[in-house]
Amino acid sequence: IREALHRLELLRTDSAFRRFVWVRALLVSTGLSAPFYVTLAKEAPTGGNQLALFVLASGFAAALSSGFWGRHSDRSSRSVLVFAATMAASLGTVVFLLDKTGVAGRYPWIIPFAFFLLAIAHAGVRVGRKTYLLDMASGVRRTDYVAVSNSVIGLVLLLGGTLGLLVGAIGSGGVLLILSVLGFAGAWGGRKLPETQ
């Protein structure tokens, strides 16, 4: 426990790492958004059960985009992180508006297609933040960064799971909008990260 607490001191003493962890915590929103796309599609009058379509879209998006994000991340992982986060947050905002105006309900393919694009964006966020973290340091310091960052994000994910409680009050679209705002905040914070390449 003493060793774990000592490593957490990095959040206080290392400003660049602390900034990265804040950005990564905000960008958890890109992953947490996915179930709300599925819920919105299911709630639509013409939605039905499209779960298989969402699973296929997710797998296809990951296979299609991983090489693209990897190549660009080698040049600037920060740019990949910011671009992919902006893409995910923008998609969430658009889907929220399409749901509120009833357009998404009239065209059942819209939300699955947006989900496919979200999966591409989320893959970019993941590749960008992994590459950025690995390029920040080497050796023992890199191990400490990964351990502390993963521990903090684990707590953030536990807290993020409570967002589902808001669905009854503001609906799936409202939660999606909140997550999009967090995503925009993460993208803005990512722009202020120093380059590591």
Side-chain angles (χ1 to χ4, degrees), residues 52-65:
L53 186 59
F54 282 100
V55 172
L56 285 171
S58 180
F60 186 57
L64 187 69
S65 64

Side-chain angles (χ1 to χ4, degrees), residues 26 35 46 76 88 100-101 119 127 129 131 134 145-146 148 168 170 179:
L26 288 167
T46 55
S76 174
K100 280 298 173 192
T101 57
V127 169
R129 59 107 171 144
T131 307
L134 292 176
Y145 278 178
V146 171
V148 172
I170 60 176
L179 291 169

Side-chain angles (χ1 to χ4, degrees), residues 22 34 112-113 133 155 189:
W22 271 112
F113 180 68
L133 184 59
L155 291 173

Side-chain angles (χ1 to χ4, degrees), residues 166-186:
L166 295 175
V167 171
I170 60 176
S172 298
V175 175
L176 187 58
L177 185 62
I178 290 172
L179 291 169
S180 296
V181 170
L182 294 175
F184 281 124

Side-chain angles (χ1 to χ4, degrees), residues 25-90:
L26 288 167
L27 295 184
V28 163
S29 59
T30 64
L32 292 176
S33 296
F36 296 101
Y37 280 70
V38 179
T39 305
L40 282 173
K42 193 172 181 180
E43 291 171 352
T46 55
N49 189 1
Q50 300 174 316
L51 186 58
L53 186 59
F54 282 100
V55 172
L56 285 171
S58 180
F60 186 57
L64 187 69
S65 64
S66 58
F68 171 81
W69 292 127
R71 280 192 303 276
H72 287 281
S73 225
D74 288 338
R75 286 192 218 113
S76 174
S77 54
R78 184 191 71 169
S79 296
V80 166
L81 192 68
V82 170
F83 180 80
T86 304
M87 180 180 170
S90 299

Side-chain angles (χ1 to χ4, degrees), residues 72-156:
H72 287 281
S73 225
D74 288 338
R75 286 192 218 113
S76 174
S77 54
R78 184 191 71 169
S79 296
V80 166
L81 192 68
V82 170
F83 180 80
T86 304
M87 180 180 170
S90 299
L91 277 167
T93 305
V94 169
V95 168
F96 167 76
L97 292 172
L98 291 175
D99 177 62
K100 280 298 173 192
T101 57
V103 175
R106 291 196 297 272
Y107 302 98
W109 56 269
I110 287 180
I111 295 179
F113 180 68
F115 182 86
F116 168 72
L117 296 176
L118 173 70
I120 290 175
H122 181 57
V125 169
R126 292 183 65 196
V127 169
R129 59 107 171 144
K130 284 179 184 177
T131 307
Y132 190 90
L133 184 59
L134 292 176
D135 288 341
M136 280 183 81
S138 59
V140 175
R141 178 51 67 99
R142 178 185 287 172
T143 304
D144 289 346
Y145 278 178
V146 171
V148 172
S149 176
N150 286 347
S151 298
V152 171
I153 298 307
L155 291 173
V156 170

